[in-house]
């Protein structure tokens, strides 16, 4: 046993084990009993990006679907607008025709009235 202690002191095993114990204490224990792995800032950012990628993809797909719905609705509304514009143009032409007819009838009535007086 004494020889083991001498060898451990020479190789500095105790110091290394103490450092491992310290690192283990710095890693918080997770609910499942495992320990949280210490990472460098770049590694942590990479891990977060990797973990959030599926959610981002799902959100992107939802946004694309919503955008497609808006585009479809916009196309339908444009078509409806064009149809209503044509109908309004036809109605406007009819009103102009009727206005001209009414003016002719009014002029005829005025001539008749003047002739009767």
């Amino acid at each position: 046993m004494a020889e083991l202690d001498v060898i451990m002191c020479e190789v500095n095993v105790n110091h290394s084990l103490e450092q491992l114990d310290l690192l283990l204490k710095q890693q918080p224990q997770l609910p499942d009993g495992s320990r949280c792995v210490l990472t460098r800032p770049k590694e942590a950012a990479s891990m977060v990006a990797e973990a959030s990628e599926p959610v981002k993809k799902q959100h992107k797909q939802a946004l694309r679907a919503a955008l497609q719905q808006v585009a479809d609705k916009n196309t339908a509304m444009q078509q409806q607008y064009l149809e209503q514009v044509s109908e309004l143009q036809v109605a406007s032409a009819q009103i102009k025709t009727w206005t001209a007819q009414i003016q002719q009838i009014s002029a005829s009535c005025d001539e008749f009235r003047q002739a009767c007086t």
Side-chain angles (χ1 to χ4, degrees), residues 1 13-14 19 23-24 26 38 46 54-55 60 68 70 72 74 76 81 83 100-101 104 112:
M1 189 79 153
V13 172
N14 284 337
Q19 284 183 328
L23 285 173
L24 185 63
Q26 290 175 354
L38 293 179
S46 174
V55 174
K60 190 175 184 179
Q68 185 61 45
V70 169
D72 293 344
N74 186 37
Y81 170 78
E83 290 170 1
Q101 289 175 349
Q104 286 176 350
F112 181 73

Side-chain angles (χ1 to χ4, degrees), residues 8 12-21:
M8 288 179 72
N12 208 11
V13 172
N14 284 337
H15 179 67
S16 297
L17 288 174
E18 288 172 3
Q19 284 183 328
L20 285 173
D21 285 340

Side-chain angles (χ1 to χ4, degrees), residues 6-48:
V6 170
I7 293 172
M8 288 179 72
C9 285
E10 288 176 1
V11 184
N12 208 11
V13 172
N14 284 337
H15 179 67
S16 297
L17 288 174
E18 288 172 3
Q19 284 183 328
L20 285 173
D21 285 340
L22 181 63
L23 285 173
L24 185 63
K25 288 178 185 176
Q26 290 175 354
Q27 296 175 334
Q29 188 170 5
L30 300 174
D32 65 358
S34 64
R35 298 268 180 192
C36 183
V37 179
L38 293 179
T39 61
R40 295 185 183 111
K42 288 183 181 178
E43 289 176 326
S46 174
M47 291 170 70
V48 168

Side-chain angles (χ1 to χ4, degrees), residues 67-85:
L67 182 60
Q68 185 61 45
Q69 286 178 346
V70 169
D72 293 344
K73 187 172 183 178
N74 186 37
T75 301
M77 289 177 76
Q78 285 177 347
Q79 182 64 33
Q80 184 181 11
Y81 170 78
L82 291 175
E83 290 170 1
Q84 288 179 355
V85 164

Side-chain angles (χ1 to χ4, degrees), residues 19 84 97 109 114:
Q19 284 183 328
Q84 288 179 355
T97 302
C109 288
Q114 286 177 356

